[in-house]
Each structure stands twice: as structure tokens, then as C-alpha cells.
Amino acid sequence: MDEPVVAFDLGRMLLGDAPPLFLAEILVRTLIIYGWTLLLLRWVGGRSIAQLSIIEFLLVIALGSAVGDALFYPEVPLLHAMLVVAAVVGLDKLLDALIRRFRPVKLAVDGKAVAVMRDGRVLTEGVAARRIGMPELHALLRMNGIENLGEVRHAFLEADGQLSIFRAEPPRPGLAIVPPFEVAPPVPVAPGEHPCCLHCGRLFAPQPAEDAPEPCPDCGELRRTRVSLARGVDSCEPVADTQGGMPHDGREETEAAAAGLHAGDRGRTLRR
């Protein structure tokens, strides 16, 4: 019959049931497993944590489980743990070779890049395909220095979760995402101002105040906010409209201030 556990027994808490010499064995086990794992990882090749693929992330988890038990459990033989580590690394190398040789395997394991923005507008189908919310996308854009959706020509969510952004030259009018809506609420649209969709950033022509807004044809959102001019929009060069929304030509820049467009931060009027 097992003896009852004595609470706050310092000897049990610090040393357990193993003899003190077992501490030296733990050090030897750690050196052996650490050196063996390091040798195998050098064979695999490494990338920074931010660039880990799904397979490499799985490799880290599997190695952590295989290595950890052998370090301090006396009933786990070292050769068993070394065999597990070698098998895990070997599977990683095999999958890596299959990924490089067969594109269907790469798509199944690593996934593919998805377009999430085009010409200042969020592509809701791309966002839904990668299962990210609009606040998360806005946060990724802000971390890349984007203040207004009109600054973005193309944006792709890569297979590793990184966001690739190609800036528009010149920027278009669009939805301002600085400051975040959690910090400052979106500005309501006044009569005569150009509205944009609060969800995807699609631009619309001004509507009479008495008309209720129709659902956005891209995302179905009803809420609107006023359009802002991205920083650096100070020319009257024509910009082609590819959204089917508010036209943007040379005359529009001149009419923007009178129509209620704003530049930079939300609420700051355009100055010329």
C-alpha cells in the first residue's frame, strides 16, 4: 500500500524518490539528447521562428515531447528517445522532399497565398477563405504602416500568415483605419459627403440624406462612414476606377474638399 503524501515535504518536492546522484544522470541525459537533437536539426536546416511552416512547427512540437521525457524520467531509455527524435526528423525531411517535388502535396500541407485586397477594397471572399476577421486584417495593415485602405493596390495573405502589401501610386481615397475603430468610432456621413463601406471599404457616390443605404454589393454591410484621402494625395492625376464605385478622376481631387473628403487622420479636413 502506497504511503500517504505528506504536504510540503521539501525532500519530496526538490529531489523526489530518486537518489541525489540521479541529478548528475539528468545532466548527462540532457547533454546527450541536446547534442543528438542539435545534430539532426543542423541536418534539417533551420529558418527563423517567424518563417516556420506548418511542418516545421509540428516538428518543434514533436521534438519537444520526445526530448522532454528522456531528460528526467529514469524509466525512459536514451536510445528509445534518440530513435523517436531521429524518426521525427526523418519524416520532416521526407515531407520536405515531397513538398518540393509535388505541387499538390505543397498545397495540401503549406496552403497557398490568398488575395485579400485590391485597389483599396477588401476582398471578402479571400478574408473568409483564410478565416480572419476584419479587425485582424486592419491590424496587420497598420503594422505595415498602412493608415488608409486607399494606399493599398494589392495585398496577399501568404501561406505562412505574413501579409504582403503592394502600395498604390498615387493612393486612392478610401477607408481610414487609423486610429482603430476601437479607439475612435467611425465618422458618420453627412449629406453630400462620399461614403464608403465600413466593412470592406468599397466607395459609393453621395446619396440624399433621406435615402436609406442599400447593402454593399460586395459584403452586404449597411453601415457607412465618410471617405478619407490617404496621405500624399495632393495631385490631380487621373486614377482609374476598378471598383464600379465612386469615380476618381482629375476633377474629383479639386471637388473633394467641397464634397467632404478628408485627408490623413479621420476628421481632419483636406488642405490645399
Side-chain angles (χ1 to χ4, degrees):
M1 183 175 180
D2 295 335
E3 297 181 1
V5 176
V6 179
F8 298 104
D9 181 0
L10 293 181
R12 176 186 56 79
M13 292 172 60
L14 296 177
L15 296 176
D17 298 328
L21 191 59
F22 184 64
L23 296 177
E25 181 180 332
I26 289 178
L27 292 178
V28 174
R29 284 171 169 262
T30 301
L31 290 175
I32 294 174
I33 295 297
Y34 182 86
W36 176 248
T37 306
L38 180 62
L39 179 65
L40 291 176
L41 287 180
R42 288 286 296 170
W43 175 54
V44 170
R47 287 184 276 178
S48 66
I49 296 298
Q51 296 174 318
L52 285 180
S53 66
I54 294 177
I55 293 301
E56 290 165 330
F57 186 68
L58 181 61
L59 173 67
V60 172
I61 295 176
L63 286 180
S65 177
V67 169
D69 292 345
L71 297 183
F72 50 83
Y73 285 127
E75 62 272 14
V76 178
L78 287 179
L79 287 179
H80 292 191
M82 295 169 68
L83 179 60
V84 171
V85 172
V88 169
V89 173
L91 286 174
D92 178 80
K93 290 290 289 185
L94 176 61
L95 276 176
D96 189 52
L98 292 175
I99 287 172
R100 290 198 306 267
R101 186 169 181 179
F102 301 105
R103 180 171 176 79
V105 177
K106 176 177 175 56
L107 294 178
V109 174
D110 282 344
K112 61 181 180 180
V114 175
V116 292
M117 283 197 66
R118 183 186 303 121
D119 294 327
R121 178 173 57 91
V122 176
L123 303 178
T124 54
E125 61 274 13
V127 173
R130 295 302 294 270
R131 297 180 177 87
I132 66 171
M134 206 60 65
E136 184 179 357
L137 177 61
H138 290 174
L140 290 173
L141 291 168
R142 286 191 293 268
M143 286 189 290
N144 283 274
I146 300 298
E147 302 183 28
N148 189 299
L149 298 189
E151 300 176 40
V152 180
R153 179 166 57 92
H154 291 290
F156 301 92
L157 198 59
E158 304 292 346
D160 62 356
Q162 302 290 321
L163 188 66
S164 301
I165 297 175
F166 299 87
R167 294 177 179 265
E169 294 295 341
R172 303 168 56 95
L175 174 65
I177 58 174
V178 173
F181 296 134
E182 298 83 2
V183 176
V187 180
V189 183
E193 290 184 333
H194 289 284
C196 66
C197 177
L198 192 59
H199 187 72
C200 68
R202 182 186 177 97
L203 309 182
F204 296 92
Q207 291 182 332
E210 60 274 9
D211 291 350
E214 297 182 356
C216 175
D218 293 330
C219 64
E221 178 65 50
L222 287 172
R223 293 177 299 169
R224 305 283 189 266
T225 185
R226 68 184 180 189
V227 177
S228 295
L229 289 180
R231 293 183 184 275
V233 178
D234 53 5
S235 67
C236 294
E237 297 178 4
V239 177
D241 173 52
T242 60
Q243 302 183 36
M246 183 182 65
H248 184 209
D249 53 24
R251 293 187 301 276
E252 183 192 23
E253 294 279 343
T254 306
E255 299 167 355
L261 293 181
H262 296 260
D265 296 336
R266 252 177 271 142
R268 196 183 72 171
T269 56
L270 175 66
R271 299 181 183 275
R272 293 198 177 273

